[in-house]
Amino acid sequence: MARIGVEETLTDVKDALMEKGYEVVNLGSEEDTAYCDCCVISGQDENVMGMQETSIAGPVIDASGYNAEEVCQMVEQKLR
């Protein structure tokens, strides 16, 4: 199953993804994105200074405004 990096504040998303069988890792630093197939962020501190760098080759999903089930669906769509 795919490895999904999830920001630490998104506990409901982490729980929902684990229930679906995904391997979930906490995103606390840039090194945590290593070997992740997809990452889910809260969007709270995204692009704070107008600069944007990505350290993951896979998709990044901004979970702001979505419930856990909607985020799971977005992850599944991105991984197809």
Side-chain angles (χ1 to χ4, degrees):
M1 193 48 91
R3 182 179 186 164
I4 312 298
V6 180
E7 233 177 69
E8 293 178 17
T9 59
L10 300 171
T11 55
D12 56 336
V13 172
K14 282 190 258 186
D15 293 342
L17 288 168
M18 286 191 289
E19 282 181 24
K20 292 184 179 287
Y22 290 102
E23 178 185 354
V24 177
V25 296
N26 285 328
L27 293 180
S29 67
E30 187 175 328
E31 291 82 32
D32 297 333
T33 62
Y35 309 109
C36 287
D37 298 299
C38 181
C39 288
V40 180
I41 61 170
S42 67
Q44 292 176 350
D45 56 1
E46 178 184 19
N47 200 9
V48 173
M49 296 180 62
M51 300 177 347
Q52 190 167 333
E53 285 185 32
T54 55
S55 59
I56 180 173
V60 176
I61 296 170
D62 183 349
S64 60
Y66 298 101
N67 66 37
E69 186 56 38
E70 291 169 325
V71 173
C72 288
Q73 290 173 1
M74 288 189 277
V75 167
E76 291 168 353
Q77 288 175 352
K78 296 286 186 182
L79 294 177
R80 286 188 193 153

